[in-house]
Amino acid sequence: MACKPACLKAGRVGAVVIAPEEYDAAFMREALVLAASAAAAGEVPVGAVVVRDGEIVGRGWNAPITGHDPSAHAEIRALRDAAARLGNYRLPGCDLYVTLEPCIMCSGAIMHARLRRLVYGAADPKTGACGSLLNVFAEKRLNHHTEVAAGLLAAECGALLAGFFAARRSGRAA
């Protein structure tokens, strides 16, 4: 079932129209909730939501460990959920909000799904394929180009990841 974050019902909070930057932040906060669920399950805390016309149509969080599936990244799971709900593997007019810069695998899936826009939080200097390590979205020879917006709520997204890995290194549960 598609849904909107509570503050986005009818695009208004009381009588005040939500500014575009708050619209994006509300969806990234939804992705952060999913990332926290991944952390609670012992997975790297990454969450993602697919949005079409102001409604969440797909959700995903990291689950490669619990699912015994190397492709079970948050982005892939959110794309699969959205495609199943919408009845199409192509997701034109949809935006993906994800807490961590996508890797090469996820970036390829984003392009194949024909997403309109990708919005991510924290950069990933080790495997990020949207500008940190390399930028597959800048490859002009590809036939689809998704718009990319980087750094939305980056501090919050990065803090969740840093806390998870600090707990893991110290032997505590995340």
Side-chain angles (χ1 to χ4, degrees), residues 94-113:
C94 291
D95 300 333
L96 176 69
Y97 295 81
V98 61
T99 57
L100 181 65
E101 180 181 2
C103 68
I104 295 169
M105 173 184 70
C106 293
S107 295
I110 289 164
M111 284 188 273
H112 282 289

Side-chain angles (χ1 to χ4, degrees), residues 80-150:
R80 287 176 179 160
D81 188 33
R85 288 180 194 217
L86 298 175
N88 192 346
Y89 76 103
R90 295 272 167 91
L91 302 171
C94 291
D95 300 333
L96 176 69
Y97 295 81
V98 61
T99 57
L100 181 65
E101 180 181 2
C103 68
I104 295 169
M105 173 184 70
C106 293
S107 295
I110 289 164
M111 284 188 273
H112 282 289
R114 303 294 196 261
L115 287 177
R116 178 180 65 170
R117 189 167 70 118
L118 162 66
V119 180
Y120 70 86
D124 185 350
K126 293 183 180 179
T127 65
C130 306
S132 290
L133 179 65
L134 55 101
N135 189 349
V136 297
F137 293 97
E139 178 53 61
K140 297 196 183 320
R141 293 175 293 178
L142 295 172
N143 66 335
H144 178 75
H145 295 92
T146 299
E147 177 187 333
V148 178

Side-chain angles (χ1 to χ4, degrees), residues 15 37 61 92-93 134 172:
S37 297
W61 55 91
L134 55 101
R172 297 173 298 171

